[in-house]
Amino acid sequence: MSDTNVNLIINRVKQHFFAGEFSDVENVLTTALLQHNNNQQILYWLCQFYTQMRRFSSLIELFNVNKVPENCLNFHIGALRALKRHEVAITLLEELSDASPERQLLLATLYKEQGAKTQAIELLSQLIDTYPETIEAYWQLCQLTPELTTQQHQTLTLFVQQDEHPLRERALACYTLASVFDQAGDHARAFDYYAQGAKLKRRSFGNYQFDAELHELDNLAHAFHLAKSTTQPLDTQSQPIFIVGMPRSGTTLVEQIIASHSQVIGADELSDLMMATQQLLRKEKPASPYPHWADQLSSKAYSEIALNYYELTQPFQTKRYFTDKMPLNFKAIGIIKRAFPNAKIIHCKRNAHDTIWGNFRQLFGEGIRFSYNLNELTRYYLAYDKLMTHWHSLYPEAILTIDYEALVDDIEAQTARLCEYLELDFEVDCLAFFKSNRVVHTLSSQQVRQPIFKSGVGRWKNYEFAFGEVNALLDKDE
């Protein structure tokens, strides 16, 4: 098949995609794949489409009848990982002759998410010995064990000082060193590296506009100003539990407790609500930008968001409930209540100082950009708190707030509250959440495999010397 023909097909695919005609995208690609003897370029585009649409089951089915080419292997592994079929993904990676650092890092991540801590540590240590400048391996290792060898420490210290390395890699090195010093109780040196890493990470975002993100939170309250329920709930056998709040507020812990119940599937952090909404918006093309289209969408449109969401989350709908633990969905509560009138929403809240410090000390991916400057982070926290007050005023009975401090102080009482809210019988397995063998993708994957510990409460006080501006902003808001 000529490159010209492939390009014509791909151009048709792009036109359908940007028009929101997703069924046509799939039809064009699957038809072309059959007609052109499983052409690898077309197969790659179909994999990309299924991944972008989070249709991971469709992607895996595709490879049940097609050999996985090298350029599509990561799509296959990613789909298995998303569906928590880690055993299969691990077996595939272990059988590969390609032992590139990237593949070894992915294998170590799968081990870690599965709870195979020993295998992950062993693999990461070997990777560092063989490829000492694979900085992410140090970071991953530090999440599993608080100690580095003298040589590893020296390598990271030198790496941070060399400007020729990418900002993201230098930030990783800084956060790794900060974590080591934090575990050792050297909080002054730890903060120096946290602050340096935060600056490097912040610079890597280029022209990020914090004020625009802050204004979005204010605009949400204005756009979703009425407690509307514009649609009837869909008749489904499984219902989502949306777990929201600031990152590092206990959302993973709450999910692990709930997911230990016999009638709940823990689906982890899902971007499916955003995907379902984007699918609808590509089709409806509202006149106003987000979030000002809130009242422009019909009840049918919100029902379609719910329908899209249920299609995307179908693999998790095997019990009465499945969890959707995307913390920043606190911004989407207006959408949730209109698309899912009977939705269960659990808001996780933590002491302001611990929340702010928990975010600042954490190196996230690319989606939480407000956390790398203490001033901006504090202002974001205040805006989040104001927005949650708004949602509670609109839906006072619909949102259950779980305070992290109350949870770790009396897990049994708070678990009983959770079960009552979800209309589930109390099960003692929820108290033994740390024994669950479910795969956990999030940054707290190791913490939730341990019993409740209270050492995280008041942890910010070790860094109180750096909280002058934070305290001033919080005091001003009172």
Side-chain angles (χ1 to χ4, degrees), residues 166-189:
L167 293 171
R168 179 183 177 276
E169 298 292 311
R170 291 171 64 203
L172 270 172
C174 283
Y175 275 89
T176 304
L177 289 168
S179 184
V180 171
F181 284 123
D182 179 76
Q183 292 285 341
D186 190 343
H187 300 118
R189 293 178 73 184

Side-chain angles (χ1 to χ4, degrees), residues 73-282:
L73 181 63
N74 285 348
F75 288 122
H76 191 204
I77 298 295
L80 291 168
R81 182 184 178 194
L83 295 177
K84 302 194 175 188
R85 295 175 60 182
H86 280 50
E87 288 288 353
V88 180
I90 287 171
T91 299
L92 283 174
L93 284 172
E94 287 179 336
E95 291 175 349
L96 289 175
S97 57
D98 173 17
S100 67
E102 293 76 18
R103 293 272 164 81
Q104 290 184 60
L105 267 174
L106 179 55
L107 181 57
T109 300
L110 292 168
Y111 277 136
K112 184 180 75 168
E113 292 174 349
Q114 192 185 44
K117 181 177 177 179
T118 301
Q119 291 95 320
I121 290 174
E122 182 179 342
L123 186 56
L124 289 167
S125 299
Q126 292 173 357
L127 179 56
I128 289 171
D129 289 341
T130 308
Y131 302 98
E133 289 203 351
T134 307
I135 303 302
E136 186 168 347
Y138 297 83
W139 167 245
Q140 295 282 3
L141 183 63
C142 199
Q143 308 310 300
L144 299 166
T145 177
E147 297 180 358
L148 296 177
T149 66
T150 301
Q151 181 58 54
Q152 291 168 351
H153 201 288
Q154 289 174 350
T155 299
L156 289 174
T157 303
L158 182 61
F159 190 92
V160 167
Q161 298 168 359
Q162 297 172 330
D163 292 343
E164 66 269 21
H165 295 303
L167 293 171
R168 179 183 177 276
E169 298 292 311
R170 291 171 64 203
L172 270 172
C174 283
Y175 275 89
T176 304
L177 289 168
S179 184
V180 171
F181 284 123
D182 179 76
Q183 292 285 341
D186 190 343
H187 300 118
R189 293 178 73 184
F191 183 79
D192 286 343
Y193 276 111
Y194 280 131
Q196 187 176 349
K199 287 180 180 178
L200 290 167
K201 185 70 173 180
R202 184 72 165 72
R203 281 172 54 197
S204 73
F205 297 143
N207 63 348
Y208 167 61
Q209 300 294 321
F210 169 73
D211 286 342
E213 191 155 13
L214 207 60
H215 289 156
E216 179 185 86
L217 298 187
D218 289 334
N219 289 336
L220 280 164
H222 293 297
F224 292 92
H225 59 286
L226 297 174
K228 287 185 177 180
S229 181
T230 58
T231 181
Q232 292 297 315
L234 297 179
D235 184 16
T236 58
Q237 301 211 348
S238 187
Q239 297 290 330
I241 302 169
F242 294 97
I243 304 174
V244 304
M246 281 286 287
R248 317 304 295 166
S249 63
T251 54
T252 303
L253 174 58
V254 167
E255 181 187 45
Q256 187 79 341
I257 292 170
I258 296 171
S260 299
H261 197 284
S262 63
Q263 295 189 49
V264 182
I265 289 289
D268 226 316
E269 292 188 355
L270 302 178
S271 57
D272 295 321
L273 179 61
M274 178 185 69
M275 284 293 305
T277 305
Q278 287 178 345
Q279 287 180 36
L280 182 281
L281 295 177
R282 285 194 185 100

Side-chain angles (χ1 to χ4, degrees), residues 436-455:
S436 171
N437 60 2
R438 66 177 282 262
V439 169
V440 181
H441 288 145
T442 62
L443 294 165
S444 303
S445 61
Q446 299 309 303
Q447 295 173 8
V448 295
R449 301 191 191 281
Q450 305 168 25
I452 283 281
F453 56 91
K454 300 181 181 181
S455 59

Side-chain angles (χ1 to χ4, degrees), residues 200-403:
L200 290 167
K201 185 70 173 180
R202 184 72 165 72
R203 281 172 54 197
S204 73
F205 297 143
N207 63 348
Y208 167 61
Q209 300 294 321
F210 169 73
D211 286 342
E213 191 155 13
L214 207 60
H215 289 156
E216 179 185 86
L217 298 187
D218 289 334
N219 289 336
L220 280 164
H222 293 297
F224 292 92
H225 59 286
L226 297 174
K228 287 185 177 180
S229 181
T230 58
T231 181
Q232 292 297 315
L234 297 179
D235 184 16
T236 58
Q237 301 211 348
S238 187
Q239 297 290 330
I241 302 169
F242 294 97
I243 304 174
V244 304
M246 281 286 287
R248 317 304 295 166
S249 63
T251 54
T252 303
L253 174 58
V254 167
E255 181 187 45
Q256 187 79 341
I257 292 170
I258 296 171
S260 299
H261 197 284
S262 63
Q263 295 189 49
V264 182
I265 289 289
D268 226 316
E269 292 188 355
L270 302 178
S271 57
D272 295 321
L273 179 61
M274 178 185 69
M275 284 293 305
T277 305
Q278 287 178 345
Q279 287 180 36
L280 182 281
L281 295 177
R282 285 194 185 100
K283 177 181 175 181
E284 292 284 323
K285 298 180 175 60
S288 302
Y290 176 79
H292 303 290
W293 43 252
D295 290 340
Q296 296 175 17
L297 296 186
S298 65
S299 60
K300 181 181 177 182
Y302 281 105
S303 291
E304 190 166 336
I305 289 174
L307 184 61
N308 293 341
Y309 178 84
Y310 278 113
E311 289 178 353
L312 290 167
T313 58
Q314 190 275 331
F316 305 113
Q317 297 169 32
T318 57
K319 295 184 179 180
R320 179 176 172 184
Y321 289 115
F322 62 95
T323 59
D324 183 337
K325 188 204 76 72
M326 182 59 76
L328 296 189
N329 272 347
F330 76 80
K331 298 189 290 185
I333 288 177
I335 297 174
I336 291 170
K337 287 303 298 177
R338 295 186 185 198
F340 310 88
N342 297 330
K344 297 294 187 181
I345 303 173
I346 299 171
H347 169 218
C348 296
K349 189 169 185 181
R350 191 176 187 179
N351 169 275
H353 287 84
D354 276 326
T355 303
I356 291 165
W357 177 245
N359 278 265
F360 186 72
R361 69 182 294 272
Q362 184 61 60
L363 182 62
F364 295 101
E366 301 303 306
I368 301 177
R369 299 187 170 192
F370 55 80
S371 67
Y372 300 101
N373 177 289
L374 280 172
N375 177 286
E376 292 177 348
L377 176 53
T378 306
R379 290 161 60 200
Y380 189 93
Y381 176 87
L382 291 170
Y384 137 81
D385 194 48
K386 180 180 177 182
L387 180 59
M388 283 308 308
T389 299
H390 172 71
W391 294 136
H392 279 291
S393 71
L394 293 186
Y395 308 105
E397 304 300 324
I399 304 169
L400 175 68
T401 295
I402 294 291
D403 289 309

